[in-house]
Every structure is written in C-alpha cells, then in structure tokens.
Amino acid sequence: MNRLVEVWARQIGWPIRQRNVILEGMIDVRLLRYARQLYLADRGVDIFDRSFAILAAGRGNEGGVDGVNRRLSAARQLAEVDLTRDGAKRFSFIGLFDNDEAGRRAFMQANRFDRRVIPYHDVFLLHPVMPPAGGASGSEIEARAASLNLRFSRLNWEIEDLVSEDLLLSFESAYPDAIVKKTRQGGLTHRDFTRQGKGQFVGYVGRNATLADMLGVVRLVCSLHDYVGLEHEHISAAD
C-alpha cells in the first residue's frame, strides 16, 4: 500500500476515514458535529460510523463550491492509485453542495470537468428531502430527488436550514441583523445570512441546540451514510 491519500490528507489537515464526504466549509462541518454530539449525549449512539468522515473543502477562499470540486478531483485521482493488495480502492469520496446558485453551478461543472463524476452518485445537491439510494443509479436518485422536492423547486437550501424553525426564530430574535432575506415555499423557509451572521448562528447552535433542534441534520447524516454505502438503521431521526 502506497498510502498516497493518507499522506496528502495529513498535508491539508483532513482527518479522513475509509468513506468521506466533502462539504463546502467548516460551518457545515461544525453543524454536523453538533448533531453528532447531541445524539451521542442523548441516546448513547455515535452517528458517525468508524469508517465515515465529514471534511471541509477548506477555510475561507480555499473552501466553497469550487473548493469542493477541487478537493474532490484531487482526492479521487489519488484514491484511484492507492489500492489494497487485492486491487480495491482504500478510500472513497463524495461531494455535497448547497442548493443555491453557486452550488448548482458547481454541481454541473463537476461532471463537465470529469465525465467519470456521476451526479447523485459522486456529487449531490442538498434538498429538504434527500432520497435513499437503495441501490439505484445516480439518474434514478436524481429523479426521485426532483419528485420528492417538487414543492420546494424554487427554494434555495443550505445545511443551516435543517435546524429547527424554533431555534432559527430564537436566533433571529437574538441577532436581528444576521439575516438579510427570508424565502418561503412549500411550508419551508430558507434564510440568507450575512457572512458574520453565519458564524454567529453556528455559535448559537452550539450553545442552545437540543437534539430535537438538530434532527434535520441527523437525517442528512443518515442519507450521507446511505450514499457512501454504510448502514444507518441504528440511527433514528424521528421527531
């Protein structure tokens, strides 16, 4: 084993596991980690499998949607030649984009840059409802996602939107200048945060969220487990 992926991951500060999900930035990673901590404290179960890692594309300009594509491309190239003695890949990587204008653009660019990148198999857009893979092809999962989220088709969606409406409203009261716009469709609300507001919100979640507030994020983790081929039946994200 040449350990190319592990050497590279250490150089960029990535705590990789066998199966990895690349997110746009540290704010996204922190929200998933808070959900993990709350679930573990409340139910004694770690929703991050030992083989599973959530990774930030980078900090600041190193992250974002272009950072996801850049890191995903590099990781996949190294993983293709970092094999076990039996010739199997030791590591796998997928990318998740926010479903906003920048995220949708980068999602399309991922496949145009490298035709081996399959939408809804290697890269995903975040939706309010993330359909299970269930052995389906990328095109089948994409069609399911479009159908299940039809009533939200014009609604941008980011990981912050998965936090409970109660906690989001509480945050708005405490930080009225942190949100510049609210858009509602299909009974759900998307919020556009200021740059400073996003940081304030993540800190607020860390101080005030309960597991009930983070069940939407837990459901996302279950979906991501499914997309990388891991079991998640031991995790309950019911309200």
Side-chain angles (χ1 to χ4, degrees):
M1 294 184 293
N2 51 33
R3 301 193 179 279
L4 284 174
V5 175
E6 287 153 305
V7 171
W8 174 71
R10 282 197 298 272
Q11 291 173 341
I12 63 173
W14 267 7
I16 62 166
R17 297 289 179 89
Q18 183 182 359
R19 305 181 192 196
N20 304 275
V21 181
I22 305 172
L23 306 181
E24 293 183 20
M26 281 304 303
I27 285 178
D28 300 323
V29 170
R30 286 174 63 188
L31 287 172
L32 269 66
R33 287 177 178 171
Y34 285 146
R36 177 192 191 186
Q37 293 166 7
L38 288 165
Y39 200 97
L40 182 61
D42 189 88
R43 303 188 184 178
V45 175
D46 188 350
I47 64 173
F48 282 20
D49 185 276
R50 290 184 179 182
S51 302
F52 178 80
I54 298 291
L55 309 168
R59 297 177 183 272
N61 293 334
E62 290 298 315
V65 295
D66 293 331
V68 173
N69 274 338
R70 184 169 55 249
R71 295 297 197 197
L72 180 64
S73 177
R76 283 169 54 87
Q77 290 182 55
L78 290 173
E80 286 176 356
V81 295
D82 192 343
L83 308 176
T84 67
R85 292 177 180 176
D86 297 327
K89 292 181 183 178
R90 299 177 58 233
F91 300 97
S92 65
F93 298 85
I94 66 172
L96 177 68
F97 298 99
D98 286 342
N99 199 342
D100 54 15
E101 183 177 353
R104 291 187 290 270
R105 169 184 55 78
F107 175 80
M108 296 298 295
Q109 287 176 341
N111 176 253
R112 291 170 183 166
F113 177 76
D114 183 350
R115 291 297 180 184
R116 296 172 299 174
V117 173
I118 301 172
Y120 290 90
H121 180 273
D122 303 307
V123 289
F124 296 80
L125 279 174
L126 180 67
H127 297 280
V129 182
M130 298 292 283
S137 67
S139 60
E140 290 171 331
I141 299 170
E142 185 171 11
R144 287 179 192 167
S147 176
L148 290 169
N149 293 280
L150 185 61
R151 64 190 186 278
F152 316 121
S153 60
R154 298 188 305 277
L155 190 68
N156 288 351
W157 203 245
E158 302 178 10
I159 291 178
E160 294 90 338
D161 297 314
L162 299 175
V163 176
S164 76
E165 184 69 10
D166 286 346
L167 192 65
L168 281 158
L169 289 172
S170 175
F171 171 75
E172 284 185 47
S173 296
Y175 296 88
D177 297 327
I179 295 169
V180 295
K181 182 182 178 182
K182 295 168 66 173
T183 307
R184 189 168 179 83
Q185 186 188 17
L188 296 179
T189 302
H190 165 71
R191 291 164 170 84
D192 290 313
F193 290 80
T194 65
R195 182 180 294 274
Q196 183 180 14
K198 277 206 172 191
Q200 292 170 329
F201 178 65
V202 174
Y204 191 83
V205 170
R207 296 189 302 273
N208 297 284
T210 65
L211 178 58
D213 293 316
M214 302 299 284
L215 287 177
V217 182
V218 173
R219 281 189 282 272
L220 173 61
V221 173
C222 289
S223 296
L224 294 175
H225 272 68
D226 196 42
Y227 299 151
V228 299
L230 293 173
E231 298 293 332
H232 57 83
E233 285 74 12
H234 61 293
I235 306 169
S236 173
D239 293 329

